Each structure stands twice: as C-alpha cells, then as structure tokens.
C-alpha cells in the first residue's frame, strides 16, 4: 500500500514563528502536493511539485514556501506563521504526470496546525 | 479556484438506504474522481471515471458522468453506519493536478 506520512499530527505555534511541515512518501511518486482544508472552503492547493527541486504554485501560495530536495520528501514552510494559517494541512502524492491510467492522489493523515 | 461543487452539502439517511451525491463542474475534464474523508483524517480515493465513460461500479458504489451537463453522481447502495464521512469530487484538467469540491457530509444513522 502507498504510504504518505506527515511528521506531525498536531502542532501549536506562535505568531511569527517559522514552521516546517514534513511529508514523506514511500511509493517513488513523482508528484507531491500540499493542500489546506478549512470548514466551508474545502481543499485548496498551496503548492505542488512534479520532480525533485521543481515546484509550482497552487491556488493559495501566499505566505508559504516549499522544498523538495529528495524525491520522497516534500516540506511545507510557513516563513512567519500567522493566525489565519491555522488549518489542517494535507500532503499527498501521485504517480508520474505521464500516466495513462489517471492520476489518483494518495493522502497523508493530515497535520492540524494552530497558530496562537 | 473551485472546479467541482458537491450537492447536497449534508445528507442524513438511515442504515440500509441508498445515498446519492452530485457534483457539478465548470470546464472540460480528463477524468473525475470521488474521495472519502473520515472525520479528522486524510482523503481516500474511491473511484475514477474517465471523460469517455458514462458509468462505473465498484462494490456498493456507482458513479455516473454526464459531460454534456458537466455533472457526476455518486450512489452508495445499502448504506452502513461506517459509510458516515465526507465525500469529495475531484476533477482533472491536466494529468497531474486535481481540483476538489467542498464535499458532502453523509451521516448514516444506525
């Protein structure tokens, strides 16, 4: 089974802190994603990466950056956390963009971040 | 930008009944997928239907796709309490990026 592991399930950080959310997948997937999920807003894509060191902005990249130094690991960075970044963050991965069988995404269990 | 929109936002039924959820989207798609999310957990893929398919089955799940109306439906037959979850449709316009709707919260009462 595909496994996407998010390092922290629950975090509480202070406003202005730098926050790292780590994600590792074990299926050699090329694509990795970071979403945030908020009540009434559904899932919104923050950033995605289709290869090592490659990244593209999603729908809401402001206030976030990402790092993908190794294929299996995709990190989300909040440079200076703010209270409006309190949310559930979901990491996901999927096989190569060239797949002909669709692009099923595999999700981690989520990280609940509270910024106080 | 939200591509898919699920309807209804919430649905409450009794065990044994069928549950139907709908999804509408705006632009042409490669495929449409349905995902399930138990409370506080990650999403799990349920089923994928390609743009050239009209209907697909998987166990108690039946998905239809009408590209002329830009809509899809997910039917869960003989619902169980364990089916209680949020259900999301996700549309793909490229081969690697999915856009999710806001979800339907299904409650199945024992």
């Amino acid at each position: 089974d595909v496994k996407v592991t998010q390092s922290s399930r629950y975090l509480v950080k202070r406003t202005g802190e730098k926050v790292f959310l780590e994600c590792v997948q074990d299926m050699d997937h090329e694509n990795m994603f970071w979403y945030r999920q908020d009540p009434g807003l559904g899932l919104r894509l923050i950033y995605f990466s289709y290869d090592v060191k490659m990244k593209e902005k999603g729908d809401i990249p402001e206030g976030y950056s990402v790092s993908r130094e190794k294929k299996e690991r995709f990190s989300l960075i909040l440079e200076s956390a703010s209270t409006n970044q309190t949310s559930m963050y979901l990491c996901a991965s999927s096989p190569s963009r060239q797949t002909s069988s669709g692009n099923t995404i595999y999700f981690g269990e989520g990280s609940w971040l509270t910024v106080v | 930008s939200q591509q898919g929109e699920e309807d209804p936002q919430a649905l409450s039924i009794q065990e044994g009944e069928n549950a139907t959820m709908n999804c509408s989207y705006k632009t042409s798609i490669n495929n449409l997928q349905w995902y399930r999310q138990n409370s506080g957990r990650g999403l799990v893929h349920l089923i994928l239907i390609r743009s050239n398919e009209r209907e697909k089955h998987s166990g108690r799940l039946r998905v239809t796709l009408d590209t002329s109306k830009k809509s899809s439906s997910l039917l869960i037959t003989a619902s169980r309490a364990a089916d209680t979850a949020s259900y999301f449709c996700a549309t793909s316009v490229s081969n690697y990026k999915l856009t999710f709707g806001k979800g339907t919260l299904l409650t199945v009462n024992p």
Side-chain angles (χ1 to χ4, degrees):
Chain A
D1 280 352
V2 174
K3 193 159 181 68
V4 179
T5 303
Q6 296 183 228
S7 58
S8 302
R9 190 86 170 98
Y10 300 98
L11 305 94
V12 179
K13 298 292 182 180
R14 294 194 181 278
T15 300
E17 273 193 78
K18 191 169 185 176
V19 181
F20 292 87
L21 299 179
E22 307 285 348
C23 175
V24 176
Q25 50 96 1
D26 66 358
M27 281 301 291
D28 203 35
H29 285 167
E30 285 76 13
N31 305 322
M32 295 190 75
F33 308 83
W34 276 106
Y35 289 87
R36 68 175 279 178
Q37 184 176 21
D38 301 286
L41 297 177
L43 276 78
R44 293 179 292 168
L45 181 64
I46 305 171
Y47 267 98
F48 67 97
S49 168
Y50 51 88
D51 202 352
V52 175
K53 297 190 186 295
M54 305 303 289
K55 61 185 180 184
E56 287 192 25
K57 294 180 180 178
D59 300 318
I60 52 163
E62 297 78 18
Y64 303 94
S65 63
V66 290
S67 172
R68 192 155 179 213
E69 297 296 318
K70 293 184 178 181
K71 191 175 185 180
E72 67 271 18
R73 188 178 297 270
F74 193 35
S75 303
L76 180 68
I77 303 155
L78 287 67
E79 295 289 341
S80 178
S82 63
T83 55
N84 63 12
Q85 292 178 310
T86 291
S87 186
M88 180 171 180
Y89 290 87
L90 289 160
C91 176
S93 71
S94 73
S96 168
R97 67 197 298 180
Q98 299 304 320
T99 180
S100 60
S101 60
N103 51 340
T104 298
I105 287 186
Y106 299 86
F107 282 85
E109 286 295 287
S111 297
W112 291 90
L113 173 66
T114 301
V115 183
V116 297
Chain B
S1 58
Q2 225 79 36
Q3 162 75 310
E5 288 288 336
E6 293 89 347
D7 172 65
Q9 291 186 352
L11 178 62
S12 181
I13 60 174
Q14 296 299 123
E15 227 173 4
E17 293 180 344
N18 295 342
T20 300
M21 289 157 270
N22 303 297
C23 172
S24 59
Y25 57 93
K26 297 174 184 173
T27 62
S28 296
I29 59 173
N30 289 344
N31 62 66
L32 186 144
Q33 303 180 38
W34 285 90
Y35 287 77
R36 166 194 167 126
Q37 183 182 35
N38 289 349
S39 180
R41 310 298 292 272
L43 280 74
V44 175
H45 176 257
L46 292 176
I47 194 165
L48 178 152
I49 186 165
R50 294 183 180 81
S51 59
N52 61 354
E53 297 176 312
R54 292 296 167 259
E55 187 171 314
K56 203 161 183 180
H57 297 253
S58 176
R60 292 185 295 114
L61 305 179
R62 173 178 168 252
V63 170
T64 61
L65 179 65
D66 187 334
T67 53
S68 66
K69 295 181 179 178
K70 293 187 169 57
S71 67
S72 173
S73 67
L74 171 67
L75 168 68
I76 305 175
T77 60
S79 297
R80 306 165 182 167
D83 294 327
T84 294
S86 291
Y87 292 82
F88 295 85
C89 69
T91 52
S92 170
V93 297
S94 67
N95 216 21
Y96 56 91
K97 186 179 173 184
L98 287 181
T99 304
F100 288 82
K102 297 179 182 179
T104 292
L105 176 60
L106 172 66
T107 303
V108 181
N109 301 298

